[in-house]
Amino acid sequence: MSIQTKTVKAKTVAIVGGGCAGWSLAARVDQLSANTVTLYLKEETNPSHNWGFWQMPWLSDALSKKRAMWNSWQIITDEGIVTHHSRNHAYCSITSDDWFDWCQKRFHSAATTTEIIRLPVTNTDKNMLMTSNHKKRYDLIYDSRPPKADKNILLQHFKGLEIKTSIPVFNSKAAVLMDFRVSQENGIHFMYVLGYDQYTALVESTFFSTSPHREEVYDEAIRDYLSRIYNVTSFEIVKSEKGIIPMGDVRPKDQNPFLYSIGSNAGAIRPSSGYAFSFIQKQITQFLDRQTKPTNPHKKHDLMMDLIFLEVLKSHPEKAQRLFFKLARALNGDSFARFLSGEANIKDYFLVINSMPKWLFINQAVRVIIEKWKRIAKWA
Ligand SMILES: Cc1cc2nc3c(=O)[nH]c(=O)nc-3n(C[C@H](O)[C@H](O)[C@H](O)COP(=O)(O)OP(=O)(O)OC[C@H]3O[C@@H](n4cnc5c(N)ncnc54)[C@H](O)[C@@H]3O)c2cc1C
């Protein structure tokens, strides 16, 4: 048996991991043209959570399962409020439970023979997967296990509460993507508020910094925010979610060249925003349509711009809200959605670059390029 590296044609296929990427690919097994597809699942501990994304052509399946959508969204800072509207690219939210249910139904009703092994993969050797009680070779293996990130990489870490209030306070017409009217003591910090109706919302305290906080920090921030901004002091907690997302370069923990990385393991998380759902669907659509191996779904220049932006945030966290405000103010709803979904056109890029302070970015760009050269020189 051998693994083909250019075009993907395999009789036996394995998918390792049942997160967003693993299940999203499993839902499309019939497009793999395999005889059997085996999914390896590690026991999940993460409760259901929300994925936000902008409506894009490759997301029609997700759109059909969405929980809510907003044709307007806001970025709120001390300087003012930017409100974007878009008819073409609404901001949508889907729950992971609804998405996984849909993926599971598709996997189990596929024409391809499918199988689930509820054991974590403990080791790999070329095209062989090992668990605690068996080992098996596959023609092709997609690996969605989480990647590793550099030590002092910027992290997006957050806790969100879905709450119900007894009084109508939330705006279900506009999502609040960033509200910076919160303490900046513990790192770049904003609230993310998705109003499902006037009484129900997901309120998420989100930080960009190099290490996560104690849970009380997020809880207190949410309570303080609700009390100050919405005048809400008592509410029912329906559910909660939390996460830590690396913002920057990541690489697979398992460097076995026989494995095809997918999802965050193949760099699908957009470094500057932490958005991954849309890019995972884009990546899977691209490699299935082209019948090639999976590749990083981001454009090289988007990654370069993100790297520079993140360096600016790291060295000047106090400027974060001003930068996000300027960026949002320079774009309209459509261009903002395109930029954050990796679909910006030349005019969008011009507006983005023009909105940023030139010297700050040129300075960081030079540093990023020197760092890259140093790394190349070290490897040579
Ligand atoms: C609470 C939360 C909210 C988020 N909100 C958004 C959002 O609004 N929009 C957005 O775009 N992104 C969001 N993200 C980010 C996004 O969900 C993740 O980046 C995305 O789920 C990554 O998917 P993945 O499949 O690559 O990795 P994961 O979802 O991490 O899946 C990896 C899978 O591999 C499995 N695994 C690990 N080791 C083994 C092993 N040895 N054997 C077998 N399986 C193994 C794990 O159990 C897991 O199921 C959010 C993340 C969280 C946690």
Side-chain angles (χ1 to χ4, degrees):
M1 272 187 248
S2 69
I3 289 205
Q4 295 199 326
T5 49
K6 288 238 168 63
T7 52
V8 177
K9 272 196 190 117
K11 299 277 179 234
T12 57
V13 171
I15 302 171
V16 183
C20 180
W23 271 117
S24 299
L25 178 59
R28 300 176 68 172
V29 277
D30 285 341
Q31 284 175 266
L32 288 171
S33 320
N35 290 352
T36 65
V37 175
T38 307
L39 180 59
Y40 283 78
L41 300 180
K42 188 177 155 186
E43 201 178 330
E44 291 299 327
T45 47
N46 288 340
S48 177
H49 64 81
N50 286 271
W51 282 306
F53 59 89
W54 280 272
Q55 186 180 355
M56 287 286 153
W58 61 90
L59 291 165
S60 51
D61 290 333
L63 201 64
S64 69
K65 295 286 140 203
K66 69 181 181 306
R67 176 177 180 186
M69 68 190 267
W70 299 263
N71 287 103
S72 305
W73 57 85
Q74 297 182 315
I75 310 286
I76 305 175
T77 71
D78 291 342
E79 278 182 74
I81 301 178
V82 178
T83 305
H84 286 154
H85 308 280
S86 174
R87 297 223 68 74
N88 306 320
H89 303 298
Y91 189 73
C92 306
S93 166
I94 186 172
T95 68
S96 55
D97 273 358
D98 287 345
W99 181 243
F100 290 148
D101 275 356
W102 181 81
C103 292
Q104 280 159 20
K105 281 188 190 122
R106 296 260 308 217
F107 183 69
H108 293 302
S109 61
T112 311
T113 304
T114 58
E115 173 193 25
I116 291 185
I117 294 184
R118 293 184 191 279
L119 284 174
V121 168
T122 48
N123 211 346
T124 71
D125 179 16
K126 295 188 177 159
N127 56 340
M128 186 193 288
L129 292 180
M130 294 167 227
T131 68
S132 55
N133 70 7
H134 86 296
K135 43 177 138 172
K136 192 169 171 190
R137 284 188 193 284
Y138 293 91
D139 292 337
L140 211 150
I141 299 167
Y142 292 102
D143 181 14
S144 78
R145 289 171 295 171
K148 71 173 171 202
D150 283 343
K151 264 205 184 116
N152 59 354
I153 197 171
L154 209 57
L155 301 172
Q156 180 178 145
H157 47 100
F158 51 90
K159 178 171 179 187
L161 301 178
E162 183 174 323
I163 61 163
K164 265 191 189 304
T165 57
S166 52
I167 45 167
V169 289
F170 296 113
N171 181 355
S172 58
K173 300 271 181 286
V176 177
L177 300 186
M178 294 178 136
D179 187 343
F180 282 97
R181 293 173 297 175
V182 286
S183 160
Q184 301 294 312
E185 259 175 25
N186 294 311
I188 300 168
H189 181 204
F190 58 88
M191 288 287 163
Y192 170 77
V193 185
L194 298 183
Y196 294 116
D197 58 47
Q198 288 181 296
Y199 299 87
T200 317
L202 171 69
V203 184
E204 210 152 82
S205 162
T206 307
F207 291 86
F208 293 172
S209 70
T210 47
S211 56
H213 300 314
R214 285 175 296 112
E215 204 144 310
E216 301 86 81
V217 174
Y218 311 93
D219 288 335
E220 278 163 26
I222 293 171
R223 284 186 188 280
D224 172 65
Y225 174 74
L226 285 169
S227 145
R228 276 189 303 107
I229 307 293
Y230 291 90
N231 208 14
V232 165
T233 48
S234 75
F235 48 84
E236 178 197 340
I237 299 175
V238 182
K239 57 183 177 182
S240 69
E241 61 176 54
K242 56 184 178 178
I244 303 173
I245 302 174
M247 304 173 81
D249 273 344
V250 293
R251 51 193 172 282
K253 281 185 194 137
D254 190 336
Q255 292 286 327
N256 177 351
F258 282 72
L259 308 178
Y260 284 180
S261 296
I262 56 168
S264 53
N265 202 25
I269 299 174
R270 178 81 186 256
S272 64
S273 67
Y275 279 95
F277 181 81
S278 174
F279 294 107
I280 289 172
Q281 309 313 318
K282 188 192 243 183
Q283 178 188 58
I284 291 173
T285 303
Q286 281 174 349
F287 77 78
L288 288 178
D289 286 355
R290 295 175 193 159
Q291 292 286 298
T292 53
K293 60 191 277 193
T295 50
N296 186 309
H298 307 295
K299 295 182 179 120
K300 286 208 169 73
H301 49 271
D302 281 343
L303 290 175
M304 192 57 165
M305 282 170 75
D306 280 13
L307 219 61
I308 296 167
F309 186 66
L310 288 170
E311 282 305 314
V312 171
L313 290 187
K314 258 169 101 175
S315 49
H316 297 281
E318 76 290 350
K319 294 196 194 298
Q321 58 170 312
R322 174 125 187 83
L323 295 176
F324 283 111
F325 179 74
K326 288 181 98 177
L327 175 76
R329 201 178 46 182
L331 302 174
N332 62 26
D334 284 339
S335 50
F336 189 80
R338 282 196 299 265
F339 181 63
L340 284 172
S341 305
E343 295 295 304
N345 58 33
I346 290 181
K347 187 177 166 206
D348 301 334
Y349 284 123
F350 172 77
L351 294 173
V352 169
I353 292 168
N354 201 37
S355 71
M356 294 291 115
K358 305 289 166 303
W359 282 113
L360 193 58
F361 277 74
I362 290 171
N363 219 338
Q364 292 303 331
V366 171
R367 282 182 54 180
V368 166
I369 291 165
I370 291 173
E371 279 308 311
K372 280 216 174 261
W373 274 342
K374 275 191 193 160
R375 271 196 229 171
I376 292 167
K378 213 166 130 191
W379 292 333

